[in-house]
């Protein structure tokens, strides 16, 4: 693996995530699939707005049952499971972090979804799939770790059938000023490649996409963090804190203040291949 990718994978790797997840679930690990999936939403949707944000993004794609979807930077596979169960699509996910892929695939097996979802370890910049084999691609909170957005979107474009769509939901630059680290995707600036919406749109266009729309989800983000802060008591055992290690509280505080201050915002962009 490229040195930078190794550092990114190391940033996300906890080492004991599978065991920690089972311990946090306890007896609830044996719940029926729908109830277990509901619980997992607290940890397997590693982006601002959680599952509600994924549901909203998926609605905009208007997916048809049986279609093939590629989830870039799939993490633990929460987005893949939501798309597969709610929209009846087949999902292939790819992620640099082997631990996420392994835990995600074992969750899929536990939920009876292995036939519909395949998560593989690899880089979004060297996609190992057949050209023009996907109807749609999703990418949630991943581009902040990828410097060369044109190369990224050229790779994704080559995977999509004519008319194929991409839905992006990333943290983007909406204001000036230095960023304060650590943030959930990077301990310091060396792993962080946050870009402005205009940079994304230009990179998409260069890669052959037609941009159909852009939505700033700042309000959703502010409500999400306010709700998180309003929950009394210590952080829940089953929650995003599990993924962010010892600096979890600092990472969450930093992203919240920088979104509230307008330096950063979660932005959704929809585009398609003509
Ligand atoms: C903040 S997490 C989001 C995970 C998932 N999309 C979600 O919303 O739950 C970012 C993910 O992007 C992955 N990632 C970062 N750079 C990548 C790359 N070049 N190729 C594939 N995955 C990458 C990381 O390993 C990590 O799992």
């Amino acid at each position: 693996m490229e040195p930078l990718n190794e550092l990114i994978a190391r940033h996300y790797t906890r080492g004991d995530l599978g065991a920690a997840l089972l311990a946090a679930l306890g007896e609830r690990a044996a719940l029926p699939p729908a109830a277990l999936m509901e619980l997992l939403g607290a940890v397997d949707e590693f982006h601002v707005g959680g599952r509600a944000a994924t549901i909203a993004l998926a609605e905009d794609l208007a997916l048809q049952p049986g279609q093939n979807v590629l989830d870039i930077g799939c993490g633990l596979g929460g987005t893949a499971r939501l798309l597969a169960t709610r929209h009846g699509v087949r999902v292939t996910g790819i992620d640099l972090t082997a631990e996420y892929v392994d835990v995600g695939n074992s969750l899929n097996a536990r939920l009876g979804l292995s036939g519909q979802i395949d998560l593989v370890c690899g880089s979004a910049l060297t996609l190992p799939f057949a050209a023009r084999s996907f109807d749609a691609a999703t990418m949630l909170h991943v581009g902040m770790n990828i410097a060369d957005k044109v190369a990224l979107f050229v790779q994704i474009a080559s995977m999509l059938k004519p008319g194929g769509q991409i839905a992006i939901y990333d943290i983007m630059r909406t204001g000036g000023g230095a960023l304060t680290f650590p943030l959930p995707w990077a301990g310091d600036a060396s792993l962080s490649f946050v870009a402005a919406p205009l940079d994304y749109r230009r990179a998409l266009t260069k890669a052959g996409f037609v941009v159909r729309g852009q939505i700033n989800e700042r309000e959703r983000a502010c409500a999400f963090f306010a709700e998180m802060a309003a929950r009394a008591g210590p952080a829940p055992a089953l929650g995003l804190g599990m993924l962010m290690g010892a600096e979890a509280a600092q990472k969450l505080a930093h992203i919240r203040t920088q979104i509230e201050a307008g330096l950063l915002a979660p932005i959704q962009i929809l585009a398609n291949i003509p």
Side-chain angles (χ1 to χ4, degrees), residues 232-238 241:
L238 189 71

Side-chain angles (χ1 to χ4, degrees), residues 31-272:
L31 282 170
L36 181 54
M37 250 197 72
E38 182 72 27
L39 270 183
L40 287 171
V43 71
D44 70 4
E45 301 272 15
F46 191 4
H47 48 260
V48 173
R51 181 147 295 161
T54 314
I55 290 172
L57 192 76
E59 293 300 327
D60 289 339
L61 280 173
L63 297 167
Q64 301 299 317
Q67 284 188 325
N68 285 321
V69 180
L70 175 60
D71 186 33
I72 300 291
C74 59
L76 288 171
T79 298
R81 286 185 284 280
L82 185 282
L83 295 176
T85 54
R86 206 175 160 99
H87 296 275
V89 293
R90 297 181 52 80
V91 188
T92 302
I94 185 163
D95 199 287
L96 276 184
T97 306
E99 183 179 47
Y100 283 179
V101 169
D102 292 346
V103 173
N105 279 325
S106 57
L107 290 172
N108 292 338
R110 188 177 280 268
L111 293 161
L113 291 170
S114 297
Q116 219 180 327
I117 302 174
D118 190 22
L119 309 182
V120 301
C121 190
S123 169
L125 293 169
T126 50
L127 293 172
F129 309 114
R132 299 197 200 97
S133 52
F134 295 94
D135 300 282
T138 47
M139 187 177 87
L140 287 80
H141 283 40
V142 180
M144 303 90 77
N145 283 131
I146 299 179
D148 191 343
K149 308 273 192 291
V150 175
L152 168 67
F153 294 135
V154 164
Q155 278 286 302
I156 299 173
S158 72
M159 297 291 119
L160 291 174
K161 298 174 186 173
Q165 318 170 69
I166 183 169
I168 299 162
Y169 179 58
D170 270 357
I171 300 292
M172 301 187 194
R173 256 293 188 177
T174 45
L179 295 182
T180 306
F181 292 89
L183 284 158
W185 60 89
D188 60 43
S190 67
L191 300 186
S192 183
F193 306 100
V194 177
L198 181 60
D199 298 322
Y200 275 73
R201 293 200 307 271
R202 282 188 177 143
L204 283 161
T205 305
K206 267 194 185 160
F209 284 94
V210 173
V211 177
R212 284 173 24 218
Q214 175 183 317
I215 303 170
N216 185 326
E217 296 284 11
R218 181 176 181 277
E219 295 311 312
R220 177 199 294 282
C222 292
F224 175 76
F225 288 119
E227 194 187 308
M228 206 182 246
R231 270 185 233 130
L238 189 71
L240 291 180
M242 292 183 82
L243 305 183
M244 288 188 276
E247 293 178 319
Q250 236 185 325
K251 289 173 180 170
L252 284 173
H254 286 162
I255 187 172
R256 180 182 183 180
T257 47
Q258 289 171 94
I259 287 175
E260 285 175 351
L263 267 73
L264 297 172
I267 306 280
Q268 177 184 313
I269 295 180
L270 291 172
N272 67 279

